Amino acid sequence: IPDNVASMVHVYGLHLQKNNEWHPAYEAFCKMKESYVLTMENLNGVTSVKPSGRCVYIVENEMVFSYLINNMQNRDFTLLCTSGQPRSVSLKLIPMILDARVPIYYSGDTDPDGLGIADRLWERFGDAIHMWRMSPADYRKSVSRESMGRTGMTQLEHIEHLQLKETAECIKEKGLVGYQENILTDLLADMMTNFSD
């Protein structure tokens, strides 16, 4: 029961269908081009979803989520923020998005935790989850001055996704972690390009 409220995801631009009609509350958020918080309780009874745009973007970080919304200039797109490890509501929502036959692009920090989250999503949903700005080249752009601890080194040994493994090797070599905040303009440019295409 507590998970019905505690499990949440921040959402922008996603239409939800309930009782064979598009839920008027979330339609209002989409019309006003505002984000909303979706809990497991809210998702109860939702039968399908309709993304705005031709793909769905998912980010790990709230600040990145806000930056992208504020700089996309009210265009029609769908963006989710998991606030770190995806909770139950996100794991229930993602299959609904995939049923709508749109690709999902996931971007997280290039640190042991971020790579671990991305890797587990890939293990659960396969290649339907596309890694977004998590390559070795993106790591080099996002790298910070913060050192990785011993625990992080152990976490990186368990990464299975091919590209993420390559990024993990780069992190191990440098011993420094990378953050999404350092590649904000690249993330935004990708979304703007996709919108243009």
Side-chain angles (χ1 to χ4, degrees), residues 23-60:
H23 196 299
Y26 302 109
E27 286 301 289
F29 279 111
C30 291
K31 183 178 180 181
M32 296 297 293
K33 298 193 181 300
E34 296 179 4
S35 63
Y36 59 85
V37 175
L38 186 66
T39 66
M40 185 68 93
E41 188 172 13
N42 299 142
L43 198 57
N44 186 37
V46 171
T47 53
S48 64
V49 302
K50 181 175 69 174
S52 301
R54 293 178 299 171
C55 66
V56 171
Y57 299 97
I58 303 177
V59 295
E60 175 187 344

Side-chain angles (χ1 to χ4, degrees), residues 46-119:
V46 171
T47 53
S48 64
V49 302
K50 181 175 69 174
S52 301
R54 293 178 299 171
C55 66
V56 171
Y57 299 97
I58 303 177
V59 295
E60 175 187 344
N61 182 292
E62 298 93 341
M63 190 276 280
V64 174
F65 178 76
S66 297
Y67 171 86
L68 293 173
I69 290 173
N70 291 336
N71 286 276
M72 280 293 285
Q73 302 169 351
N74 295 321
R75 290 175 167 85
D76 290 323
F77 61 94
T78 301
L79 178 66
L80 277 58
C81 178
T82 62
S83 301
Q85 178 68 41
R87 297 176 177 91
S88 302
V89 65
S90 298
L91 300 177
K92 186 175 178 182
L93 185 60
I94 288 173
M96 292 183 171
I97 294 170
L98 295 177
D99 285 344
R101 299 186 180 278
V102 295
I104 295 176
Y105 292 88
Y106 177 82
S107 181
D109 291 329
T110 44
D111 66 356
D113 288 334
L115 263 62
I117 291 170
D119 196 54

Side-chain angles (χ1 to χ4, degrees), residues 110-117 148 151-153 155-156 159 171 177:
T110 44
D111 66 356
D113 288 334
L115 263 62
I117 291 170
M148 177 184 61
T151 306
M153 189 70 77
Q155 288 175 272
L156 293 176
I159 302 297
I171 298 173
V177 298

Side-chain angles (χ1 to χ4, degrees), residues 8-19:
M8 62 180 69
V9 60
H10 287 77
V11 181
Y12 181 95
L14 187 66
H15 306 265
L16 308 179
Q17 190 171 58
K18 199 170 188 177
N19 299 325

Side-chain angles (χ1 to χ4, degrees), residues 142-158:
S142 69
V143 72
S144 70
R145 295 180 180 177
E146 185 177 328
S147 298
M148 177 184 61
R150 288 184 181 178
T151 306
M153 189 70 77
T154 304
Q155 288 175 272
L156 293 176
E157 295 297 334
H158 301 290

Side-chain angles (χ1 to χ4, degrees), residues 130-191:
H130 303 277
M131 297 305 147
W132 176 31
R133 290 287 172 182
M134 298 189 75
S135 71
D138 297 308
Y139 163 69
R140 286 187 280 272
K141 284 185 177 181
S142 69
V143 72
S144 70
R145 295 180 180 177
E146 185 177 328
S147 298
M148 177 184 61
R150 288 184 181 178
T151 306
M153 189 70 77
T154 304
Q155 288 175 272
L156 293 176
E157 295 297 334
H158 301 290
I159 302 297
E160 296 296 330
H161 183 277
L162 185 60
Q163 185 189 69
L164 297 180
K165 280 176 79 81
E166 294 174 358
T167 304
E169 289 303 316
C170 292
I171 298 173
K172 284 191 274 187
E173 285 174 20
K174 273 192 174 290
L176 302 172
V177 298
Y179 292 116
Q180 283 185 298
E181 292 92 328
N182 294 334
I183 55 167
L184 287 173
T185 54
D186 292 314
L187 295 169
L188 179 62
D190 290 343
M191 292 182 69

